[in-house]
């Protein structure tokens, strides 16, 4: 009970539960009304958000090619801005639960094949129209349509039909899926008027802020939406501004100079130095994100699994963790799941640096000559240094890596998913199914290794419908081994998210899903004065 009450208290203190919801939950746990009310009073005095002011963030990951169409959101800036002007059906909480937003509740048939969501009354879009079940259906239909090229396509391909029943949206699946509620938290699925079919880049949503400035690659701004349905909980500042600062040193200078209140992607090598600044707080969070060196499995020379295996064995993971992450993370094993996920397959052997085995597979592949690896400061903090470190470890196996440093601006539009060998980072997802469906399913729009394995696809669909947790864990174990041994991902490390906040910023909540409070810090935080 103590752990459950602590979790309840944290959610209330962070503004994620109303007073009534907290007191009701406390009573259900057997907590006395006196104790619960005393905590309410203390929280009100210590945590009450202050309204007003202009909240500014200096963020990496913005480009001139960024769009307001949620289907195409590639990086931190459009995602964080989307969380300001858009509203999801549901959102992930830091403890792995579901927080209802536009959807008021969700339930399923016994076989998890038919799901029913009740859509909340009275939520308005910025254009004054009320959000309807038809808007929800149109949104889900657009993202599940192959023509949309949505990043959520892999998640929604299992939808057979969508229909409205009063205020309910009924989703019928081709196959059962126990994880459907978690899939609805995907950041692409911002509910738009008519699903965004009329103008997907209009930037009209039902979030706490209305767009006032949209200069892709430069800055984005918005003002408080007076009719936001839960303005007491989120959207405390009068205005928010995102300044795109792709250079790591410039971001730190902006925070130190009080030009912004928060920054993301602090490089581990400067954390100790930044800590010395009065009023600066390092917000580091262990989570599910990982750095990768990705190869296209269908493009020479990476279409040869011996070559892919050689490069995986030539990666010195411990050195990468020590020199690039400075210990702010953990080693990876070439599949996108770590111990923070439920049903993690803990008995899979950890791959280690082995230059002799790497040399064996490299010679077996028959490849000769240098291999081009593209990287950029935009890929992840320390990515250029990481590429050079990999170049050195590969040399010990007789493999020549040529490192090409690409510009930060346009990296996610011109290199990611377009070049056959590059560095990058994936943020965590809520479940095994969500990350595998987004990036490894053969038909997924964001399959950035061009990985295609019929058995893997079948296991993924089978796992969605498996009620027995032990059997489901074994299915995910088999899938992890396939990706680890046959896929195009080299995942040397799982990174901590390292953000930094300046003096007077309050309400920052660490979230293992993604940096900057799962990209929601701008709508959750407030200024002390």
């Amino acid at each position: 009970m103590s752990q459950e009450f602590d979790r309840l208290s944290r959610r209330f203190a962070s503004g994620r539960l109303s007073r009534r919801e907290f007191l009701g939950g406390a009573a259900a746990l057997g907590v006395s009304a006196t104790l619960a009310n005393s905590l309410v009073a203390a929280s009100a005095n210590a945590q009450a958000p202050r309204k007003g002011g202009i909240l500014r963030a200096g963020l990496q990951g913005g480009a001139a090619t960024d769009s307001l169409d949620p289907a195409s959101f590639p990086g931190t800036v459009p995602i964080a801005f989307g969380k300001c002007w858009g509203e999801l059906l549901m959102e992930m909480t830091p403890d792995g639960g579901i927080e209802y937003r536009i959807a008021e509740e969700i339930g399923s048939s016994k076989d998890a094949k038919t799901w029913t969501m009740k859509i909340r009354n009275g939520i308005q879009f910025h254009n004054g129209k009320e959000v309807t079940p038809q808007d929800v259906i149109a949104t889900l239909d657009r993202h599940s349509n192959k023509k949309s090229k949505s990043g959520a396509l892999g998640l929604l391909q299992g939808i057979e039909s969508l229909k409205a029943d009063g205020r309910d949206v009924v989703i019928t699946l081709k196959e059962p899926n126990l994880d459907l509620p978690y899939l609805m938290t995907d950041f692409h699925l911002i509910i738009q008027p008519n699903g965004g079919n009329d103008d997907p880049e209009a930037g009209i949503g039902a979030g706490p802020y209305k767009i006032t400035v949209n200069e892709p690659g430069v800055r984005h701004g918005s003002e408080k939406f007076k009719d936001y349905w839960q303005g007491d909980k989120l959207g405390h500042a009068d205005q928010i501004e995102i300044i795109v600062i792709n250079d790591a040193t410039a971001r730190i200078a902006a925070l130190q100079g009080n030009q912004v209140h928060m920054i993301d992607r602090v490089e581990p090598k400067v954390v100790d130095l930044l800590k010395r600044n009065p009023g600066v707080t390092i917000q580091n969070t262990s989570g599910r994100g990982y750095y990768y060196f990705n190869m296209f499995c269908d493009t020479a020379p990476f279409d040869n699994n011996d070559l892919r295996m050689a490069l995986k064995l030539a990666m010195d993971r411990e050195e990468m963790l020590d020199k690039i992450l400075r210990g702010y993370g953990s080693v990876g094993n070439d599949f996108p799941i770590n111990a923070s996920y439920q049903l993690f397959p803990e008995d899979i052997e950890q791959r280690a640096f082995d230059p002799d085995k790497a040399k064996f597979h490299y010679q077996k592949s028959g490849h000769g000559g240098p291999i081009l690896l593209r990287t950029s400061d935009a890929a992840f903090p320390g990515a250029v240094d990481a590429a050079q470190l990999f170049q050195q470890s590969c040399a010990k196996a007789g493999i020549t890596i040529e490192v090409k440093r690409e510009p930060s601006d346009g990296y996610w539009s011109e290199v990611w998913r377009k070049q056959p060998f590059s560095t990058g980072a994936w943020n965590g997802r809520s479940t095994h199914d969500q990350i595998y469906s987004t990036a490894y399913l053969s038909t997924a729009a964001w399959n950035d290794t061009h990985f295609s394995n019929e058995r893997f696809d079948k296991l993924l669909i089978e796992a969605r419908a498996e009620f027995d947790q032990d059997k489901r864990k074994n299915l995910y174990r088999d899938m992890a081994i396939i990706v680890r041994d046959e896929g195009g991902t080299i995942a040397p490390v799982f990174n901590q998210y390292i953000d930094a906040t300046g003096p007077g910023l309050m309400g920052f909540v660490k979230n293992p899903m993604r940096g900057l409070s799962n990209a929601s810090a701008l709508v959750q935080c407030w200024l002390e004065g």
Side-chain angles (χ1 to χ4, degrees), residues 469-488:
Q469 293 300 289
D470 290 334
K471 292 180 180 179
R472 202 177 198 209
K473 182 176 181 178
N474 285 332
L475 291 171
Y476 286 135
R477 181 184 185 278
D478 291 345
M479 290 160 58
I481 290 173
I482 292 172
V483 170
R484 175 184 183 269
D485 294 343
E486 301 178 37

Side-chain angles (χ1 to χ4, degrees), residues 250-465:
R251 282 198 304 281
I252 291 174
L255 183 68
Q256 291 173 325
N258 295 319
Q259 296 172 337
V260 297
H261 301 101
M262 65 181 80
I263 60 173
D264 69 337
R265 289 199 171 194
V266 176
E267 292 184 321
K269 65 183 180 182
V270 302
V271 167
D272 289 340
L273 185 64
L274 191 56
K275 282 180 179 178
R276 300 174 190 172
N277 287 262
V280 170
T281 302
I282 299 296
Q283 309 282 4
N284 59 296
T285 310
S286 296
R288 300 175 177 184
Y290 62 94
Y291 298 160
Y292 64 70
F293 294 65
N294 271 0
M295 306 166 278
F296 286 178
C297 295
D298 60 355
T299 303
F302 310 105
D303 54 352
N304 184 302
N305 196 43
D306 278 300
L307 181 69
R308 298 198 298 271
M309 183 59 70
L311 293 173
K312 292 173 183 178
L313 291 165
M315 174 64 73
D316 192 333
R317 298 155 204 274
E318 294 291 347
E319 186 178 39
M320 195 73 66
L321 176 63
D322 179 53
K323 293 184 177 180
I324 303 301
L325 268 64
R326 306 295 175 100
Y328 287 97
S330 59
V331 295
N333 205 14
D334 299 336
F335 61 95
I337 305 296
N338 65 5
S340 67
Y341 285 84
Q342 293 184 357
L343 308 181
F344 171 69
E346 64 281 336
D347 61 339
I348 296 178
E349 181 182 359
Q350 174 62 53
R351 179 163 287 145
F353 176 50
D354 192 329
D356 292 332
K357 284 187 179 179
K359 186 173 184 178
F360 167 78
H361 284 283
Y362 181 66
Q363 291 177 342
K364 188 179 177 182
S365 75
H367 180 74
I371 297 172
L372 179 62
L373 170 64
R374 299 174 190 269
T375 189
S376 169
D377 293 325
F380 57 80
V384 175
D385 291 339
Q388 293 169 346
L389 202 63
F390 182 53
Q391 181 183 50
Q392 295 166 18
S393 66
C394 281
K396 296 177 183 178
I399 304 171
T400 301
I401 298 293
E402 179 184 336
V403 176
K404 183 175 182 180
R405 184 173 185 169
E406 299 280 0
S408 292
D409 189 17
Y411 184 76
W412 296 107
S413 60
E414 301 302 323
V415 177
W416 181 58
R417 294 192 297 150
K418 291 187 178 180
Q419 298 297 337
F421 194 25
S422 64
T423 63
W426 271 95
N427 287 291
R429 294 298 191 269
S430 56
T431 64
H432 294 246
D433 183 71
Q434 190 174 15
I435 185 64
Y436 283 138
S437 296
T438 302
Y440 294 89
L441 182 68
S442 60
T443 54
W446 278 15
N447 183 336
D448 54 0
T449 58
H450 297 192
F451 175 66
S452 180
N453 185 291
E454 185 176 349
R455 181 166 179 262
F456 175 88
D457 289 354
K458 289 181 178 179
L459 289 171
L460 180 60
I461 294 171
E462 184 179 349
R464 291 173 180 171

Side-chain angles (χ1 to χ4, degrees), residues 69-350:
D69 180 2
S72 68
F73 285 176
T76 300
V77 170
I79 295 170
F81 194 44
K83 292 286 185 86
C84 294
W85 63 263
E87 192 74 302
L88 300 171
L89 289 162
M90 306 167 201
E91 184 66 277
M92 282 286 296
T93 62
D95 58 10
I98 293 285
E99 177 185 325
Y100 293 112
R101 293 290 182 89
I102 288 177
E104 194 170 22
E105 60 182 55
I106 188 169
S108 75
S109 57
K110 290 183 178 180
D111 63 359
K113 196 173 179 180
T114 302
W115 291 82
T116 302
M117 288 188 294
K118 182 176 289 297
I119 304 306
R120 202 181 297 270
N121 271 312
I123 296 181
Q124 286 190 22
F125 286 120
H126 300 155
N127 61 7
K129 296 181 179 180
E130 184 173 339
V131 178
T132 67
Q134 287 73 25
D135 294 313
V136 173
I137 288 172
T139 298
L140 296 178
D141 182 67
R142 183 170 80 88
H143 286 275
S144 61
N145 188 321
K146 292 182 180 180
K147 294 181 180 179
S148 75
K149 297 182 180 180
S150 170
L153 177 62
L155 306 178
L156 305 182
Q157 285 181 340
I159 293 177
E160 184 172 79
S161 66
L162 296 157
K163 70 174 183 178
D165 182 7
R167 295 297 302 179
D168 293 343
V169 170
V170 181
I171 304 173
T172 301
L173 304 176
K174 300 171 186 175
E175 304 288 343
N177 192 337
L178 297 170
D179 290 341
L180 185 90
Y182 292 96
L183 304 187
M184 295 296 105
T185 68
D186 188 84
F187 60 81
H188 298 96
L189 302 180
I190 289 173
I191 303 304
Q192 297 176 275
N194 191 30
N197 286 296
D198 300 324
D199 184 1
E201 297 187 48
I204 297 174
Y209 291 98
K210 293 176 62 175
I211 296 174
T212 55
V213 177
N214 181 50
E215 299 176 13
V218 182
R219 68 189 183 107
H220 306 271
S222 56
E223 62 184 10
K224 190 172 177 63
F225 177 42
K226 64 181 179 62
D227 293 320
Y228 180 56
W229 69 282
Q230 52 174 359
D232 58 329
K233 289 185 179 181
L234 298 172
H236 306 297
D238 290 332
Q239 300 175 50
I240 65 98
E241 183 178 9
I242 295 174
I243 304 169
V244 178
I245 311 176
N246 287 323
D247 181 77
T249 302
R251 282 198 304 281
I252 291 174
L255 183 68
Q256 291 173 325
N258 295 319
Q259 296 172 337
V260 297
H261 301 101
M262 65 181 80
I263 60 173
D264 69 337
R265 289 199 171 194
V266 176
E267 292 184 321
K269 65 183 180 182
V270 302
V271 167
D272 289 340
L273 185 64
L274 191 56
K275 282 180 179 178
R276 300 174 190 172
N277 287 262
V280 170
T281 302
I282 299 296
Q283 309 282 4
N284 59 296
T285 310
S286 296
R288 300 175 177 184
Y290 62 94
Y291 298 160
Y292 64 70
F293 294 65
N294 271 0
M295 306 166 278
F296 286 178
C297 295
D298 60 355
T299 303
F302 310 105
D303 54 352
N304 184 302
N305 196 43
D306 278 300
L307 181 69
R308 298 198 298 271
M309 183 59 70
L311 293 173
K312 292 173 183 178
L313 291 165
M315 174 64 73
D316 192 333
R317 298 155 204 274
E318 294 291 347
E319 186 178 39
M320 195 73 66
L321 176 63
D322 179 53
K323 293 184 177 180
I324 303 301
L325 268 64
R326 306 295 175 100
Y328 287 97
S330 59
V331 295
N333 205 14
D334 299 336
F335 61 95
I337 305 296
N338 65 5
S340 67
Y341 285 84
Q342 293 184 357
L343 308 181
F344 171 69
E346 64 281 336
D347 61 339
I348 296 178
E349 181 182 359
Q350 174 62 53

